Amino acid sequence: MLHHRRFLVWHLCILICISCFGCVFYTSTGIPANNSGAISSTGRSKAVLININGPLVEDASVGLSLGKGSTSVLARRITTALEYIRNDAHIELVILNLSKMSASSLAIVSDVYHALAEVKKAGKTIYVFSENFTMSGFLLASVADQIWIDPFGDVELDGLAVNFPFFRRALEKYGINAYIFRVGEYKSAVEPFTLYSISDQVRRETSELLNEEWNMYLGLLAENKRFASLNIAGYALNRPALLSARKGNAAELALSQKLVDIVGTQDQFKIFVEENYKNIQPYQEYLRIAPQIAKQRRTAFTPYVTVLYAVGEITRDSEDPNTINAERLVDNIKIATENPKTKALVLRIDSPGGEVFASEMIARAIEKAKEKIPVVISMAGIAASGGYWVSLAGTEIWAAPTTLTGSIGVFAMMFSGAQFLKNHGIDQEMLRTHEQAGMSTSFWTSGPNSAQRQMMQSSVDFIYAQFLKRLIESGRVKNKTQADAVARGRVYTGQTALKLGLVDNLGSLEDALKRAAELADLREYTVVVYSSQQSLLSRLLSAVGNPTNLILGKDISKLDITTPYLERNSEVYAMNSFVLELP
């Protein structure tokens, strides 16, 4: 039976290799920044359908899904399609189906929102249908000429929230002590293990961030004339009472509040669209033909602006597709830089941070690459702590107004289970050559002694000093006093970070690409994307030994609710405690 499964997986590997060769390094369908002239063609569809089934992401995890669950959608593929559509004189209509769109970063959603706005400025019509509008989906819908909602649907503009779980009572219950070493009173990642509730400073900071992000969201909606005069904040605040007055009919409430134009089913929407547009083309198919229609110059004749993605927690060598493998990213930076056609590099970061040394590895690779070509950092939803450490190495830093960044601080956590062991009748005795020998084991069995605690805090202090040194050397502050004033774990939006000089410009990934081309003095270029994820073939081969892995995407024996800090006692982290997403 096992042999049969191996046979099937090997054949699947061969088929995927045939169909997906080049998935680690491929040329994007992006249009060169200086592309001019409209696209024209005959005998084609005049309407393009964009289904967003799942969250919008920067770099889709490579894996297999044998179920019917939602999958992530690459934001850049959507924005690239919209850029072609904007220049395509033949396309008249863009249709968005957002029924299965889920929570996404405001910064990433904003990129697609602005691309849609440019399409509308070009004179195209945009229709949107959704069974139910989340905040993410409604922001995109706000650009549309006509918004449809299902009769059983709702426009869920509930505002933003962050939930902080606290584990101190649980640790006390089981006899586990947490020892914290940090610099930065705003470094909230450690608070769940030491406090029973949010500290005053973190409560104040997070509340300010939430209000700032919410106001920016409302500001984006107000850019569209139809919503500028509406009291969206009032709708969000009073929605329960408004809904009760409508006897629970959320779709009719949305219609009465002028948030949508038509209440109807998806079949009715389809009939409405097909009255004028019989041949509707999915955007995936459109992307396959758009470069040829645009007569885009072959990549062999144009230099490259290469995009690398750094998405997830920063680790040294983790194969989890939801993390950044620093070793692989460093290799990709080197490969891209050594390619003679690469004239500029853009690193797109969407990371709350992670391991300090892994962050330093990436920063060193960027500094080396910067000796040959400009390296522009483009921040997505979050580039905080270790993510900001990496960013400081770039030639320039670009952030979205809603990006969460900063969080310049460092921490380490150690856990002692001495009381836990005692409660369960487990005794241990250690023989060692001297007092500090076997320290990692003794931390768990007896807790750190005063010398060990002093050693750990001095290590954290040293790394924090290095963080400040990088900030000073980048020219963003003049001295240690100024650096410490903007650091200590504080988190900022991109808008505030620009005022403080922590970033250079506000803009999208497209803006960062254009800037990278300017720095490299390029008039024509091709955007090339390297995948920083483990290849699909590698994941398939690693799953051969356990076919269950192929279905679940992970070893079921490792499914747990433990935090990475419990698993890696000796690691020091530069990491933010939360990632903010639009519902």
Side-chain angles (χ1 to χ4, degrees):
M1 184 66 177
L2 180 59
H3 175 74
H4 178 65
R5 286 172 175 167
R6 289 176 182 270
F7 177 81
L8 288 175
V9 172
W10 273 109
H11 276 263
L12 182 58
C13 289
I14 292 170
L15 287 172
I16 290 173
C17 286
I18 292 172
S19 62
C20 299
F21 182 75
C23 62
V24 173
F25 172 64
Y26 64 94
T27 303
S28 81
T29 52
I31 300 175
N34 71 329
N35 187 62
S36 59
I39 305 167
S40 63
S41 182
T42 57
R44 298 191 291 112
S45 171
K46 294 183 179 182
V48 175
L49 170 65
I50 299 176
N51 282 308
I52 300 182
N53 299 328
L56 286 169
V57 298
E58 292 293 341
D59 190 14
S61 299
V62 180
L64 293 177
S65 176
L66 303 183
K68 294 184 178 180
S70 64
T71 56
S72 55
V73 180
L74 279 173
R76 174 144 178 82
R77 284 181 61 80
I78 303 293
T79 56
T80 298
L82 292 171
E83 176 70 5
Y84 278 119
I85 290 168
R86 183 175 69 86
N87 290 283
D88 190 339
H90 194 76
I91 299 298
E92 299 174 357
L93 175 68
V94 174
I95 305 161
L96 286 177
N97 189 333
L98 306 177
S99 294
K100 295 183 180 180
M101 184 177 180
S102 53
S104 306
S105 160
L106 177 53
I108 299 172
V109 176
S110 297
D111 281 355
V112 178
Y113 163 87
H114 288 300
L116 282 167
E118 290 301 314
V119 167
K120 188 172 181 179
K121 286 180 184 177
K124 315 295 183 182
T125 301
I126 302 173
Y127 292 158
V128 174
F129 174 85
S130 186
E131 294 170 358
N132 202 65
F133 282 104
T134 62
M135 285 181 60
S136 299
F138 191 73
L139 180 58
L140 300 185
S142 68
V143 184
D145 297 277
Q146 197 168 102
I147 304 173
W148 284 59
I149 190 171
D150 188 86
F152 284 81
D154 192 1
V155 179
E156 299 174 350
L157 300 181
D158 295 329
L160 302 175
V162 176
N163 182 55
F164 289 88
F166 290 87
F167 308 109
R168 180 169 174 178
R169 292 189 196 280
L171 294 177
E172 290 174 346
K173 177 180 179 180
Y174 293 105
I176 298 173
N177 292 321
Y179 293 88
I180 306 302
F181 311 93
R182 68 170 173 174
V183 180
E185 61 274 20
Y186 290 88
K187 205 67 184 169
S188 59
V190 300
E191 289 192 354
F193 304 95
T194 60
L195 302 178
Y196 302 111
S197 60
I198 304 172
S199 65
D200 290 341
Q201 63 269 21
V202 172
R203 184 184 301 276
R204 182 173 59 253
E205 178 193 62
T206 306
S207 296
E208 290 172 355
L209 285 171
L210 287 171
N211 288 325
E212 191 174 353
E213 295 274 338
W214 173 239
N215 288 331
M216 283 190 276
Y217 177 85
L218 295 176
L220 289 171
L221 289 179
E223 288 179 358
N224 301 285
K225 291 181 180 179
R226 62 179 292 174
F227 295 116
S229 60
L230 299 182
N231 184 5
I232 302 293
Y235 169 83
L237 181 64
N238 300 308
R239 196 162 73 93
L242 292 170
L243 189 57
S244 296
R246 286 278 169 177
K247 297 182 179 181
N249 192 329
E252 287 297 329
L253 171 62
L255 184 64
S256 70
Q257 295 288 312
K258 299 181 180 180
L259 300 177
V260 301
D261 300 296
I262 297 177
V263 176
T265 66
Q266 187 164 338
D267 286 340
Q268 291 171 328
F269 176 73
K270 183 179 179 182
I271 291 170
F272 167 77
V273 172
E274 289 181 347
E275 285 179 357
N276 296 307
Y277 298 93
K278 300 295 183 184
N279 181 22
I280 300 171
Q281 189 172 37
Y283 82 96
Q284 296 93 333
E285 292 181 9
Y286 179 75
L287 273 175
R288 284 196 285 270
I289 65 168
Q292 288 74 38
I293 297 167
K295 298 179 181 178
Q296 185 173 321
R297 180 176 289 193
R298 290 171 53 120
T299 60
F301 301 106
T302 54
Y304 294 166
V305 174
T306 297
V307 181
L308 283 163
Y309 286 91
V311 179
E313 179 190 341
I314 301 172
T315 70
R316 177 164 185 163
D317 56 3
S318 171
E319 294 297 345
D320 182 341
N322 297 310
T323 64
I324 299 167
N325 182 316
E327 291 182 352
R328 183 177 295 119
L329 181 54
V330 167
D331 287 343
N332 281 348
I333 291 172
K334 182 179 179 182
I335 292 168
T337 306
E338 291 179 349
N339 187 330
K341 291 182 182 177
T342 301
K343 303 303 179 183
L345 187 64
V346 173
L347 181 62
R348 179 70 163 174
I349 299 177
D350 195 19
S351 171
E355 298 173 14
V356 168
F357 185 68
S359 302
E360 176 66 8
M361 287 172 61
I362 300 169
R364 291 174 186 174
I366 292 171
E367 288 173 341
K368 192 169 184 179
K370 200 168 61 174
E371 295 173 359
K372 297 181 179 180
I373 58 175
V375 181
V376 174
I377 304 299
S378 174
M379 294 177 169
I382 184 168
S385 208
Y388 188 68
W389 183 302
V390 170
S391 300
L392 284 170
T395 307
E396 286 187 5
I397 302 175
W398 286 66
T402 56
T403 297
L404 296 183
T405 190
S407 193
I408 301 169
V410 186
F411 71 89
M413 286 196 291
M414 306 297 175
F415 292 86
S416 169
Q419 189 61 45
F420 172 84
L421 296 173
K422 182 179 180 180
N423 292 345
H424 290 79
I426 301 173
D427 297 311
Q428 293 195 53
E429 186 175 357
M430 180 181 292
L431 299 178
R432 43 190 164 190
T433 56
H434 55 280
E435 187 178 2
Q436 309 308 330
M439 185 174 67
S440 60
T441 302
S442 66
F443 265 33
W444 173 251
T445 58
S446 59
N449 58 38
S450 59
Q452 291 167 342
R453 289 198 296 270
Q454 183 180 359
M455 180 186 69
M456 284 303 304
Q457 186 60 53
S458 65
S459 295
V460 169
D461 291 341
F462 169 77
I463 293 171
Y464 180 70
Q466 297 306 303
F467 210 153
L468 298 187
K469 182 181 177 183
R470 278 197 169 276
L471 185 60
I472 296 167
E473 290 176 346
S474 72
R476 300 181 184 282
V477 294
K478 294 180 180 180
N479 52 52
K480 186 176 179 180
T481 301
Q482 290 183 0
D484 189 65
V486 297
R488 307 204 66 78
R490 289 180 180 86
V491 181
Y492 306 101
T493 63
Q495 188 170 260
T496 301
L498 179 65
K499 295 176 183 177
L500 294 173
L502 298 179
V503 303
D504 299 296
N505 292 285
L506 298 181
S508 65
L509 173 59
E510 298 302 322
D511 295 323
L513 287 167
K514 291 174 184 177
R515 179 57 179 159
E518 288 176 4
L519 291 170
D521 197 25
L522 301 178
R523 299 186 62 187
E524 284 191 339
Y525 60 91
T526 297
V527 176
V528 175
V529 180
Y530 277 74
S531 172
S532 61
Q533 303 288 3
Q534 182 184 11
S535 70
L536 178 56
L537 177 59
S538 296
R539 293 199 69 207
L540 282 168
L541 293 178
S542 67
V544 169
N546 184 355
T548 308
N549 294 358
L550 200 59
I551 299 172
L552 298 179
K554 58 175 75 179
D555 185 342
I556 58 174
S557 67
K558 294 180 181 177
L559 290 173
D560 55 53
I561 58 171
T562 59
T563 95
Y565 317 120
L566 285 170
E567 297 168 2
R568 296 183 291 232
N569 258 354
S570 60
E571 194 59 68
V572 179
Y573 288 84
M575 192 167 180
N576 197 50
S577 61
F578 65 90
V579 177
L580 186 61
E581 290 185 334
L582 284 180

